[in-house]
Amino acid sequence: MPTYMQQHRAATQRPQQWPPPKAEPPKWVTAVRPGAPAGVRPATLWAALATALLSGLLLGDGLGPNLMLVAVPAALAAYFAARAAGRRVRPWTLVWAVGGLALLAVPALRDAGWPTLLAVMSALALGSLALHGNRTWPGVLIGCLGIFGSVGSGTAWAWRGVRERAEVSRGRWAPVVRTTLVAVVLLVVFGALFAGADAAFANLLGGLIPDVSVADGPWRVFLFALGLVGALAAARTAAAPMRWDRIEVRPARARGRTEWALPLIVLNLLFAAFIAVQLAVLFGGYEKVLSTGLTYSEYARQGFWQLLWATVLTLGVIGLALRWAPRGGARDRTLVRSVLGTLCVLTLVVVASALRRMDLYMDEYGLTRLRVSVTAAELWLGLVIVLIMTAGMFGSRWLPRAVAVSAAAAVLVFGLVSPDGLVAERNVERYRSSDKIDVHYFQDLSADAVPALDTLTEPLRSCSLMGIERRLDDKLGSWYATSLGEARAREILDERPLDIDMTECLKLGVYDGGRGISDEY
């Protein structure tokens, strides 16, 4: 029998495997991988090329209706790729696609940049969901960003398709290229002749055709490449999407009834006590508030942010409680629905209390962008709680997609109601009732605020609009980069030019630490 030293020597002298075997990827990584995509078709390539051309020509001047013009051929590229792969259009796919295109109407209608940014990001997320077709929580949360995973693979997939088709139909490309070049030359030559012969026709062409200069070349090339890569990524995702729905999220170990329910019951009692105090203060009026040592506006401002965070944390508590909820039978289901249902109802009352506080605060200090944004966020959180309560009664399979739809709808409504216009309108109404107004704050608003500020009397009107007019003069753009709000504002200012008296504007607080209007006034 060999000794221990002989065994050890034999083990150390055994040849090692090189290269070492690769570690197996986690099971979920293998599960979510897509199948091999179908070959790219000419219709997909032409649609992607159209997206790139429109991106390079139209997006360089700003955002407006041009986003919709760029999105349409990109959507067609994805549609052609999905058809080639044998995928069918499902109802939820239409919901995501139509919702994404609807969100792109916000930049076309509103001039404010912050609702536009939210709308564009939400449209991109809905477009990614339309390509993936996910329905579970992991699928919806990861799928809204899944299109970025196809950026590299989409370009490689398209390049392989182009090479294969070039080898098969080498002789067919030359006539297409010659025909295209002849058509372009004819358009340029005769378009230039007709523009020189008629000034009206020249103005028409100048408004329709993008003004491309050599200095803008690198920026236009970047936008062209961005549009091409984005369209190919969308098409590649549509041809073979990642299967994020296959990620399994196992529920945690179920807890006993007492262990699970006792902390939540205590939390419900705390919520009920808080709500009882809120009702006493609301019915007690000013005297009850003043007994706390705060003014009415200070009382309203103090609690809103805490109640907003309480709403967010409650949603987290509900999610964790569902993971550890007892699952023994009908009695356990009744217990879970009763405890969490009560918590949801009490949270809705807290949401109402937070909104009431913000309303009181806005009555005292007016409406701002931040205040209208957090109010909209609190309203959406209340809607999510209602959806959770509905899922508790009728089943939760539809809940992830319903929450995503509600978020997109909230962003769409937020953009369409024109937040800057709402801020201006509310502050103008407050001025008429209380004679309080912040003219300096109006300088940072977008052109969407012009219709409301135009109703002020002079010199308030001119002093309030002077900052917006200056930005509009600096932002003269083409029709495809001009929103409806911007066009309407220019029309109002052209009909009623500003009559600016800087002495009066300084008295009204246009300047603040040197920030504000330039010396041109």
Side-chain angles (χ1 to χ4, degrees):
M1 178 178 293
T3 63
Y4 170 77
M5 293 299 297
Q6 290 173 337
Q7 293 177 350
H8 178 72
R9 188 179 300 109
T12 56
Q13 293 176 354
R14 187 177 303 155
Q16 299 292 326
Q17 182 179 356
W18 187 261
K22 295 182 179 179
E24 292 293 331
K27 184 179 179 180
W28 70 268
V29 174
T30 305
V32 302
R33 285 176 179 171
V40 62
R41 292 190 174 181
T44 301
L45 294 175
W46 285 115
L49 182 60
T51 305
L53 288 173
L54 291 175
S55 298
L57 292 175
L58 303 183
L59 295 184
D61 297 330
L63 301 183
N66 49 10
L67 274 179
M68 187 76 71
L69 297 176
V70 171
V72 170
L76 288 176
Y79 172 72
F80 295 142
R83 285 194 60 183
R87 296 184 65 190
R88 294 182 300 170
V89 177
R90 300 181 182 274
W92 273 101
T93 303
L94 289 177
V95 170
W96 302 130
V98 173
L101 292 176
L103 283 165
L104 294 182
V106 174
L109 298 176
R110 304 301 174 211
D111 180 55
W114 50 303
T116 294
L117 177 62
L118 286 176
V120 171
M121 294 174 61
S122 300
L124 184 62
L126 289 192
S128 184
L129 287 175
L131 299 174
H132 286 86
N134 296 312
R135 65 188 63 163
T136 63
W137 281 113
V140 171
L141 294 177
I142 303 175
C144 64
L145 301 174
I147 190 175
F148 294 104
S150 300
V151 170
S153 60
T155 305
W157 170 67
W159 178 247
R160 287 195 303 269
V162 170
R163 291 182 59 184
E164 292 173 359
R165 294 193 172 275
E167 294 175 359
V168 174
S169 57
R170 188 182 303 273
R172 300 177 185 176
W173 288 98
V176 174
V177 172
R178 286 197 300 267
T179 302
T180 304
L181 289 177
V182 170
V184 170
V185 170
L186 291 175
L187 286 175
V188 171
V189 172
F190 284 93
L193 290 175
F194 290 147
D198 189 276
F201 186 75
N203 291 333
L204 176 63
L205 286 182
L208 294 177
I209 300 176
D211 184 13
V212 180
S213 63
V214 177
D216 294 337
W219 176 237
R220 302 282 181 175
V221 170
F222 170 77
L223 292 175
F224 176 90
L226 183 65
L228 182 62
V229 170
L232 293 177
R236 172 63 174 79
T237 305
M242 298 286 286
R243 304 296 183 182
W244 299 113
D245 280 341
R246 296 177 180 175
I247 299 178
E248 297 183 5
V249 180
R250 298 179 180 178
R253 182 176 64 87
R255 306 293 179 178
R257 295 174 185 172
T258 304
E259 180 185 3
W260 179 85
L262 183 59
L264 295 175
I265 292 174
V266 172
L267 182 61
N268 283 339
L269 292 175
L270 178 62
F271 270 58
F274 174 80
I275 292 170
V277 173
Q278 295 299 292
L279 294 176
V281 171
L282 289 177
F283 285 112
Y286 281 94
E287 295 182 359
K288 191 69 176 178
V289 172
L290 293 176
S291 66
T292 63
L294 302 174
T295 65
Y296 215 55
S297 59
E298 290 172 343
Y299 179 80
R301 177 181 58 183
Q302 183 191 53
F304 174 80
W305 292 102
Q306 288 85 342
L307 297 182
L308 177 64
W309 281 110
T311 306
V312 174
L313 293 176
T314 301
L315 291 175
V317 169
I318 293 173
L320 294 175
L322 289 173
R323 282 184 54 81
W324 286 309
R327 296 179 287 273
R331 295 182 61 184
D332 288 337
R333 288 194 296 271
T334 302
L335 175 66
V336 171
R337 289 178 178 178
S338 300
V339 174
L340 293 184
T342 302
L343 181 59
C344 288
V345 171
L346 295 175
T347 305
L348 286 178
V349 180
V350 171
V351 170
S353 176
L355 293 174
R356 176 56 180 162
R357 284 172 179 259
M358 180 54 70
D359 186 56
L360 294 173
Y361 186 53
M362 289 187 296
D363 286 341
E364 182 68 22
Y365 291 104
L367 191 61
T368 63
R369 286 174 168 178
L370 177 61
R371 292 164 195 167
V372 72
S373 300
V374 295
T375 300
E378 185 74 4
L379 285 171
W380 176 71
L381 291 174
L383 176 59
V384 171
I385 293 172
V386 173
L387 292 175
I388 292 174
M389 294 173 63
T390 307
M393 294 184 292
F394 301 105
S396 60
R397 186 177 181 181
W398 51 269
L399 184 60
R401 289 181 290 188
V403 172
V405 167
S406 69
V411 172
L412 178 61
V413 173
F414 183 72
L416 294 181
V417 298
S418 182
D420 278 14
L422 186 62
V423 168
E425 183 179 348
R426 184 71 178 266
N427 281 281
V428 169
E429 293 176 357
R430 175 172 170 265
Y431 166 72
R432 289 170 179 162
S433 61
S434 64
D435 207 31
K436 298 178 181 178
I437 194 168
D438 186 357
V439 175
H440 171 69
Y441 185 78
F442 297 149
Q443 310 305 314
D444 295 326
L445 296 181
S446 66
D448 300 330
V450 171
L453 298 180
D454 184 60
T455 62
L456 292 170
T457 58
E458 295 292 354
L460 282 176
R461 173 185 176 273
S462 295
C463 294
S464 299
L465 291 172
M466 57 192 301
I468 301 175
E469 184 192 48
R470 181 195 58 182
R471 287 194 302 276
L472 287 175
D473 290 340
D474 296 338
K475 193 185 173 184
L476 288 173
S478 305
W479 65 270
Y480 50 79
T482 302
S483 65
L484 180 63
E486 187 179 345
R488 185 182 180 190
R490 285 200 174 97
E491 182 180 350
I492 292 174
L493 294 176
D494 288 341
E495 291 179 356
R496 295 181 59 196
L498 301 187
D499 182 15
I500 297 172
D501 184 347
M502 282 306 303
T503 304
E504 294 295 331
C505 292
L506 288 173
K507 294 179 181 178
L508 292 171
V510 170
Y511 282 91
D512 184 11
R515 187 174 67 90
I517 307 305
S518 62
D519 292 337
E520 62 184 288
Y521 294 120

